[in-house]
Amino acid sequence: MKIPLAYNVRNLAVRKTSTLMTALGIALTVAVLLAVMAMVAGLKRAFAETGNPLNVLVMRKGATSELVSWVRREAYNDLRYKPGVMRNTRGEPMTSMEMITVITIPSISNPDGSNVNLRGITSAGIEMRPEMHIIAGRWFQPGRREIVVGSGVAKRYPAARLGKKLEFGKGVWDIVGVFEAGASAINSEILADLNQASSDYNRFEGGSSVLVRATDLVAANALINELRADQRLNVMAVPETKYYNDQTASAIPVQAMGTFVACIMAIGSIFAAMNTMYAAVARRAREIGTLRVLGFSRRGILTSFFLESLCLSLLGGLLGCILVLPLNNLTTSMGSWTTFSEVAFNFRVTPPIMLVGVVFALFMGVFGGLLPARMAAKKEILTALREG
């Protein structure tokens, strides 16, 4: 004969204080794990949504990022007319030489200044990124010290907002616009006219990288292979999407540390749940004896107490999901080891992530409730009635 689940729910309700304290301990553990997962998911999404499968990024051979790359103008002029390069409606090759450097701006979290990528770009580079659009102000005008900032920069850097001025290079630059590009990492960059930026940083002979749009995926792969084999140009080429996907390695240490902390907390939560269930078994010895007298089997009692532990952990898991929900879409940033600058992104608390949290909580309930349930089931009838 099975013990009704309502019996366990009622017991949890009667022991409100111990139930709530144990559930909160589990909830905090789940919340830590989910916060880390939401952070990593947001960062991965930012990089995953950056780039176009038809775009090929060309850098100096051996360079690990655009920041440490250098491509000569002669190489740029050569690769513009390679087979497979797409042309725009004006018949011009869709290629963009770009210059990347890092500037330091005071941020919300670091008044002393954090690194931000400054990208010198051409009109072709903007045209090749149709996901970018102005949400406030206007685009910069070529030949002027004007810049536009990504929405992530505008949120986290008070000094880099529309209408303000930034001093870097050889002078003061006016912020004339704020752009957005979905959830991509380019929202964490500042864009300026390539020629003006190159002039300020004395980089007349080339740029950091070249972005090339291929006609199709086959042409993109052929172009990559041809550029890699061309010893004369001394360049390497990778799909733009792969370049940004590789940068998700920045999230690995954070994910590992967060998971480790959550596991340590989980051990504590398991012991808390176990202690709560042991106390429940001790207090309810007479109930256990009465249930045995009424004909309930040892297996039924074991199952009942085990389910009670699962209900307790499920409550904690749901509370943990509620605790972490306010983080959803909250903007934060993380330093990239590849670009040596901050990347702004949003936390993503998704249903699959919350499901992981609930399963994690149930996992704690299994380990926390199994031994107390087994002890309850092994009690002899007379001993249980006498203890009560």
Side-chain angles (χ1 to χ4, degrees), residues 26-287:
I26 295 173
L28 290 174
T29 304
V30 170
V32 169
L33 178 65
L34 296 191
V36 172
M37 293 181 67
M39 178 185 294
V40 173
L43 183 62
K44 287 184 175 179
R45 182 192 180 199
F47 286 125
E49 294 197 6
T50 306
N52 186 301
L54 296 181
N55 285 350
V56 175
L57 187 64
V58 181
M59 298 182 291
R60 176 181 57 81
K61 188 167 291 185
T64 56
S65 71
E66 293 177 278
L67 187 63
V68 296
S69 172
W70 178 254
V71 179
R72 294 177 291 107
R73 285 195 178 272
E74 293 83 355
Y76 168 66
N77 292 329
D78 191 326
L79 65 86
R80 290 188 72 198
Y81 300 99
K82 292 282 187 183
V85 176
M86 184 181 288
R87 293 178 178 270
N88 59 22
T89 54
R90 299 180 298 278
E92 301 168 343
M94 295 188 72
T95 58
S96 172
M97 174 168 278
E98 300 178 359
M99 186 210 78
I100 303 293
T101 190
V102 171
I103 62 175
T104 303
I105 310 172
S107 68
I108 294 174
S109 59
N110 186 6
D112 294 330
S114 300
N115 290 342
V116 180
N117 273 352
L118 170 69
R119 183 181 295 270
I121 195 171
T122 63
S123 58
I126 296 174
E127 184 182 355
M128 293 168 65
R129 297 176 173 92
E131 71 278 7
M132 288 197 312
H133 60 279
I134 289 291
I135 59 174
R138 59 175 175 82
W139 286 108
F140 60 79
Q141 293 186 13
R144 294 188 179 182
R145 278 199 174 86
E146 295 180 343
I147 54 176
V148 293
V149 300
S151 56
V153 175
K155 287 178 183 178
R156 292 192 53 79
Y157 297 85
R161 290 174 181 165
L162 183 63
K164 295 194 174 183
K165 299 177 183 292
L166 289 178
E167 185 174 357
F168 56 85
K170 295 180 180 178
V172 177
W173 298 68
D174 295 318
I175 302 174
V176 297
V178 179
F179 71 89
E180 190 169 65
S184 71
I186 204 168
N187 288 328
S188 302
E189 295 186 348
I190 296 174
L191 305 183
D193 175 52
L194 173 64
N195 292 330
Q196 188 62 54
S198 298
S199 174
D200 269 38
Y201 287 93
N202 298 319
R203 299 187 183 181
F204 303 102
E205 301 302 320
S208 302
S209 63
V210 178
L211 192 64
V212 182
R213 173 69 61 84
T215 54
D216 53 45
L217 291 177
V218 175
N221 290 328
L223 183 62
I224 289 171
N225 293 332
E226 182 180 354
L227 291 175
R228 286 176 178 174
D230 194 334
Q231 300 297 323
R232 182 175 48 87
L233 296 180
N234 191 37
V235 296
M236 58 176 286
V238 295
E240 187 187 22
T241 50
K242 182 181 185 303
Y243 172 77
Y244 283 102
N245 279 332
D246 288 346
Q247 293 187 33
T248 56
S250 303
I252 294 176
V254 176
Q255 187 173 19
M257 180 60 69
T259 303
F260 175 75
V261 171
C263 288
I264 296 298
M265 293 180 65
I267 294 173
S269 297
I270 287 171
F271 279 108
M274 191 179 295
N275 184 63
T276 300
M277 294 307 299
Y278 270 127
V281 171
R283 283 196 304 268
R284 291 153 59 189
R286 179 173 293 178
E287 285 184 32

Side-chain angles (χ1 to χ4, degrees), residues 288-368:
I288 294 170
T290 303
L291 290 171
R292 291 296 312 283
V293 170
L294 292 174
F296 290 99
S297 65
R298 293 181 186 274
R299 178 176 294 180
I301 292 173
L302 185 148
T303 302
S304 177
F305 276 84
F306 184 68
L307 288 176
E308 189 169 317
S309 176
L310 290 181
C311 289
L312 181 62
S313 60
L314 178 62
L315 175 62
L318 295 176
L319 284 175
C321 292
I322 293 172
L323 287 175
V324 84
L325 271 178
L327 292 179
N328 194 35
N329 286 326
L330 181 70
T331 300
T332 186
S333 66
M334 182 182 296
S336 170
W337 294 351
T338 304
T339 62
F340 301 102
S341 61
E342 283 195 344
V343 178
F345 58 93
N346 295 333
F347 281 86
R348 295 195 70 218
V349 184
T350 61
I353 287 177
M354 289 192 288
L355 179 61
V356 170
V358 172
V359 172
F360 187 61
L362 291 174
F363 170 83
M364 288 187 278
V366 168
F367 282 87

